[in-house]
Each structure stands twice: as structure tokens, then as C-alpha cells.
């Protein structure tokens, strides 16, 4: 924090329980609804296969002593679901895996000391694995929501970045939660 914020914090040193002075930004029920929403995100079998291949390729990396486990892959899946829901999607795409692999998996890896002395790092090892394992080019199944109106099985034809919330969800929980999350993000200090 800057100097003025530090002085404010120090001035409130006599307040023992700072949480008592805070007002809620979001209700507990809204948090539960957001968690339930993330649990409904669809992950295609092709994306699950991609994650499994990434974990297996990571296990074959010689510079890494402790590698990504199945638990790590499960954590990645949970993060991907939350990420997709926060982006207004009810489905995950291979780009979600690429975007989240570093922050979710890198801290789970322990590098071999000799490799570390040579400059190897967990993020570099993951970057290598991500470049070696090809992402899926086609979905294994159709998306479950009929409002997506997608006929193609190729990921690149789906233009995920610009796809709005599907009509079947526009007035429902998804839209309300996304608006609440956006408002919370806008009001949070940068």
C-alpha cells in the first residue's frame, strides 16, 4: 500500500477484529450459487483426454522430480470449470487448459536440483509439455445446450471468445451471477 493507506492501517491498530467492521459485498447464498454453477460446466471428453495426456507427458519429463499427479489434474479441471463459468460459458475449451496449466500445476512440481542449477524451472517444463502435447481439434460430442446452435465439431469454428451467454441461460442464474461477479470485480480495489 502507499503511504496514506499504511498510515490508515496503523491508525486502526486498536481494532482487534477487523472483520466486524466490514460489510458484505456478496451474500453467502450467491457464493453457493456460483459454486453450483461452476459444477455444471461441461468438459468434453476430448478436453479431458488432453488434460490426461498433459499429466502423462509431465510424468515423463526428466528435469522434474515430483510431477503432476491425478489430484493435480483434478484441480486443473475444477479451475477450468470456474474459469469457463466466469467467462459466461457452460463449456470448457482447450485454450482454458493452456491458460490455466501454469498457475494451477507449476507449484505442484519439484524440479531436480541438478536441473535447477542448469536453469530449469517448473514453468519452463510446463511450457515444454504444453508445446509437445497437441490440443484436440474436434469435440468428442455435441455441446449439451441446444441454444448454442453449433453444427461444427471443430473447436476453431466455434469462435468461443465472442460467444454470448446462450439464450437458454440469459435471464437465469448465469446472467445474474456474472453480473454480480462483474460488479464485484469493478468495485474491488485494483
Amino acid at each position: 500500500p502507499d503511504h496514506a493507506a499504511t498510515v490508515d492501517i496503523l491508525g486502526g491498530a486498536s481494532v482487534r477484529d477487523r472483520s466486524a467492521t466490514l460489510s458484505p459485498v456478496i451474500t453467502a447464498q450467491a457464493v453457493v450459487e456460483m459454486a453450483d454453477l461452476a459444477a455444471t460446466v461441461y468438459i468434453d471428453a476430448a478436453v479431458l483426454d488432453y488434460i490426461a495426456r498433459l499429466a502423462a507427458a509431465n510424468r515423463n519429463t526428466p528435469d522434474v522430480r515430483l510431477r503432476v499427479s491425478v489430484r493435480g489434474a483434478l484441480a486443473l479441471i475444477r479451475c477450468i470449470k470456474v474459469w469457463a463459468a466466469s467467462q459466461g460459458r457452460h463449456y470448457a475449451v482447450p485454450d482454458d487448459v493452456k491458460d490455466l496449466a501454469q498457475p494451477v500445476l507449476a507449484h505442484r512440481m519439484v524440479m531436480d536440483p541438478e536441473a535447477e542449477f542448469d536453469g530449469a524451472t517448473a514453468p519452463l517444463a510446463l511450457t515444454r509439455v504444453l508445446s509437445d502435447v497437441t490440443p484436440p481439434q474436434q469435440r468428442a460430442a455435441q455441446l449439451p445446450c441446444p441454444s448454442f446452435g453449433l453444427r461444427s465439431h471443430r473447436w476453431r469454428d466455434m469462435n468461443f471468445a465472442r460467444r454470448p451467454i446462450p439464450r437458454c441461460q440469459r435471464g437465469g442464474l448465469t446472467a445474474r451471477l456474472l453480473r454480480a461477479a462483474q460488479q464485484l470485480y469493478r468495485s474491488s480495489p485494483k
Side-chain angles (χ1 to χ4, degrees):
D2 63 4
H3 182 72
T6 303
V7 170
D8 270 352
I9 292 169
L10 296 174
S14 62
V15 177
R16 289 276 199 198
D17 185 12
R18 293 193 188 286
S19 65
T21 64
L22 299 175
S23 60
V25 179
I26 190 169
T27 66
Q29 181 60 32
V31 172
V32 169
E33 289 175 357
M34 286 181 181
D36 291 344
L37 176 68
T40 66
V41 170
Y42 173 75
I43 298 189
D44 193 78
V47 176
L48 293 174
D49 177 69
Y50 179 45
I51 294 169
R53 288 186 292 123
L54 285 173
N58 177 268
R59 286 185 214 118
N60 296 328
T61 305
D63 294 344
V64 181
R65 180 170 285 177
L66 287 177
R67 295 160 174 92
V68 173
S69 65
V70 174
R71 282 180 50 226
L74 286 170
L76 180 59
I77 289 171
R78 285 191 296 273
C79 289
I80 288 168
K81 286 184 169 201
V82 170
W83 180 256
S86 74
Q87 301 297 309
R89 291 185 274 117
H90 284 271
Y91 52 89
V93 295
D95 285 344
D96 296 337
V97 178
K98 292 178 189 176
D99 293 341
L100 295 173
Q102 293 280 352
V104 175
L105 301 177
H107 75 280
R108 295 174 177 272
M109 299 166 55
V110 175
M111 302 303 291
D112 183 67
E114 292 297 321
E116 276 189 304
F117 284 129
D118 292 337
T121 63
L124 285 174
L126 271 174
T127 301
R128 216 172 314 123
V129 168
L130 284 167
S131 65
D132 291 346
V133 178
T134 57
Q137 300 300 313
Q138 295 186 343
R139 297 186 321 256
Q142 289 290 338
L143 291 172
C145 177
S147 295
F148 282 107
L150 302 172
R151 290 180 178 75
S152 174
H153 281 278
R154 293 190 314 252
W155 294 105
R156 64 179 170 75
D157 292 343
M158 295 170 65
N159 197 6
F160 287 113
R162 297 192 184 137
R163 187 159 301 281
I165 299 170
R167 279 188 213 100
C168 65
Q169 299 294 328
R170 204 168 278 156
L173 177 64
T174 303
R176 288 195 317 265
L177 289 176
L178 285 173
R179 282 196 280 293
Q182 289 168 348
Q183 183 179 15
L184 181 64
Y185 176 76
R186 284 189 209 112
S187 66
S188 66
K190 303 294 184 235

